[in-house]
Every structure is written in C-alpha cells, then in structure tokens.
Amino acid sequence: LETRRYDRRKTLNQIKIGQLTPFKTAKHHENFREMLDYCAKNYTKHPAFILKEKKGKEISYKNISFAQMQKEVNAVGTSMLAKGFKGKTVAIIGNNSYPWLVSYFGTLGGIGTCVPLDKGLTLEEIESSLNRSYADVVFFGKEHQNLVASIQESGNTGVKNFICLSDIEGYLTINQMIEEGIELQNQGNNDYLTLPIDDKTVSILLFTSGTTSFIASIIFSPLTRWLIESDQSTREKTLWVLSERSHSLNSAKRPAA
C-alpha cells in the first residue's frame, strides 16, 4: 500500500502541464470611471444590479442597468463638485446597498479621498475614524441616523455635511443629489465627466482591525502599475511618502476647528 502511494505521487510529479490558453483576456482600466464607462458602453442595458424590494408581503425586483448606474454616479459626482466637495475626504457608513456604491464610485471619480467605514463601529470608533481621516463629508444609511445625530450633537468631529443614502427628513439625500446633478448636466455642466483623476493621490483610506488600542488605517491609490514600471529610486521615494502619510493618519489627532 505504501509503495503504491509513493508510486502514485511520483507519477503525478512527472506529469507536465503545458501553457494554458486564457479563457478570456481581461481589459485593463486605469480607474473606476474608465471601468464604469466601459461597462456602460459595452453592456448598456445589461443589469448591473438586481434590487429586491418588499412592500408588505409583496416582493418585487428592480433591475439597475450599467447605463443607469453610470448616469446616477455621474449625477452624484456632478452634485458633489458643485457643492465644493473637490479635494475633500468623504466617509461612507451603512449597510450594503446600491446607493452606498453610487456614493463610493462618485467620490472616486476625481472628487477626493473615500473612507469606507465598517457599519458595526461604535460611536467612539466612528468619531475617531472621522477625525483621523480628516473627514469633511459623511454618507450614511438610515440605520445609522441615531449615531449621526449623536455625532452632530457632540461636535467632536470636523464633518460639516451629512448625506443620507435613503429618503428621510432633515437631511440632504443621495436621491436629491442625483436629481440636482442631472439638472446641472442638462444645463451643460459636464465638469465632473472630465475631472482629472490623479493616480498618485490617495483615493481610498481603509480602516482595519489592529492589535493596538486604535484601529489601523491603510491607504490605496491607482498607482500600483505606475510603481511597478518606475525605477527603484522613484518607488522607494513614493513608498516612503505613503508610509509617512499612513503613519500620520494612524497617530495624529484632528486639530481643533
């Protein structure tokens, strides 16, 4: 039995696998906007999302096409640009949803740094994350309305704009921003569509669990391919700058307003 096992392993090790042919070649995209534009052009009416909607005991499904998603992302981005959010840090907290993703893509279209926050964070952890990321804007789900109200009441953060991902009273909503953005575009405002996206600028700040008293932060940007193609000196300098930036975010407190 042992001999047969050995012979089987030896035989398997001698099998040579030739070069496999890729089933499908993936297209490279420089950024999220380019990827979304490609999908909207090539899969225009195809469903990007299928949303389950429940009213009482009745359940229905709503298809969101790639073209509709592109339209709404561009509308939110246009509204954000018009409100002066360019260069700001935008945090997002809420349950997994289509509006969450629209605000995420809208921010990454050249507006500023996006900070996705864990929906399960406590009030203290949310305030700490907002301060350490220097957040100026917060998109939030209606399930976090009470936490947002507490943040506003305490005044412990520098956030000035709170936008709800659902339609509720007392707050600007993402649907209102979509309507505003579409109206601005109809008036000829297409600045967001050509907004430059710097692939060497931090675009995402992600907080993750850490072993210290503070949750750690990780920074992302679309510069990975650029770093690979750069010379060693450039890579070392860039990585050092990113490391220093990350260290300052993990250790610094937001200055008093």
Side-chain angles (χ1 to χ4, degrees):
L1 181 60
E2 290 300 324
T3 302
R4 280 186 301 217
R5 286 180 179 173
Y6 173 79
D7 291 342
R8 189 181 297 116
R9 289 196 298 268
K10 184 177 180 180
T11 302
L12 290 174
N13 289 336
Q14 291 174 345
I15 296 177
K16 295 182 179 180
I17 300 176
Q19 179 62 45
L20 299 177
T21 302
F23 175 73
K24 186 175 182 180
T25 302
K27 181 175 176 56
H28 173 78
H29 302 288
E30 295 290 340
N31 49 60
F32 281 99
R33 180 201 292 159
E34 187 177 296
M35 180 180 70
L36 184 57
D37 290 347
Y38 173 85
C39 292
K41 179 180 179 181
N42 292 276
Y43 312 105
T44 310
K45 296 182 179 180
H46 291 227
F49 295 91
I50 300 177
L51 308 182
K52 181 178 180 180
E53 299 179 338
K54 186 176 182 180
K55 294 183 179 179
K57 294 183 178 181
E58 295 185 4
I59 297 177
S60 60
Y61 295 89
K62 177 182 178 182
N63 287 350
I64 303 292
S65 68
F66 282 100
Q68 181 179 347
M69 180 182 178
Q70 179 197 42
K71 179 180 180 180
E72 295 183 349
V73 167
N74 288 339
V76 167
T78 298
S79 177
M80 294 175 74
L81 191 60
K83 294 182 182 302
F85 293 171
K86 178 71 173 71
K88 303 294 185 180
T89 300
V90 181
I92 310 174
I93 185 168
N95 292 339
N96 183 23
S97 67
Y98 171 70
W100 191 105
L101 201 60
V102 170
S103 63
Y104 180 75
F105 270 73
T107 303
L108 295 179
I111 292 296
T113 302
C114 187
V115 186
L117 296 177
D118 189 326
K119 65 179 182 180
L121 294 179
T122 65
L123 174 61
E124 293 74 17
E125 289 172 330
I126 294 174
E127 288 186 338
S128 173
S129 298
L130 294 176
N131 284 328
R132 291 164 62 199
S133 63
Y134 298 92
D136 306 283
V137 183
V138 170
F139 283 91
F140 68 95
K142 63 180 181 181
E143 63 278 357
H144 286 81
Q145 183 177 355
N146 292 336
L147 284 173
V148 166
S150 298
I151 292 171
Q152 290 179 291
E153 184 178 353
S154 69
N156 292 332
T157 72
V159 178
K160 304 298 182 184
N161 299 275
F162 294 88
I163 305 163
C164 189
L165 299 173
S166 301
D167 293 328
I168 61 174
E169 295 183 0
Y171 290 96
L172 175 65
T173 70
I174 192 170
N175 282 334
Q176 291 173 340
M177 294 184 69
I178 290 174
E179 293 176 1
E180 179 186 32
I182 292 175
E183 183 177 350
L184 288 171
Q185 289 178 356
N186 291 338
Q187 295 172 2
N189 184 344
N190 294 314
D191 293 344
Y192 175 77
L193 305 183
T194 57
L195 195 63
I197 299 177
D198 187 354
D199 62 357
K200 301 177 186 64
T201 298
V202 175
S203 56
I204 301 173
L205 176 60
L206 184 65
F207 286 99
T208 182
S209 58
T211 56
T212 61
S213 58
F214 287 104
I215 53 178
S217 62
I218 305 173
I219 53 179
F220 295 92
S221 73
L223 56 62
T224 304
R225 184 176 63 85
W226 174 81
L227 277 176
I228 294 174
E229 296 175 352
S230 301
D231 58 82
Q232 182 176 355
S233 176
T234 302
R235 285 197 298 269
E236 290 177 351
K237 290 179 181 179
T238 305
L239 290 173
W240 181 84
V241 170
L242 293 177
S243 176
E244 289 297 304
R245 172 64 172 159
S246 180
H247 174 74
S248 65
L249 287 169
N250 284 325
S251 58
K253 293 183 177 180
R254 187 184 186 105

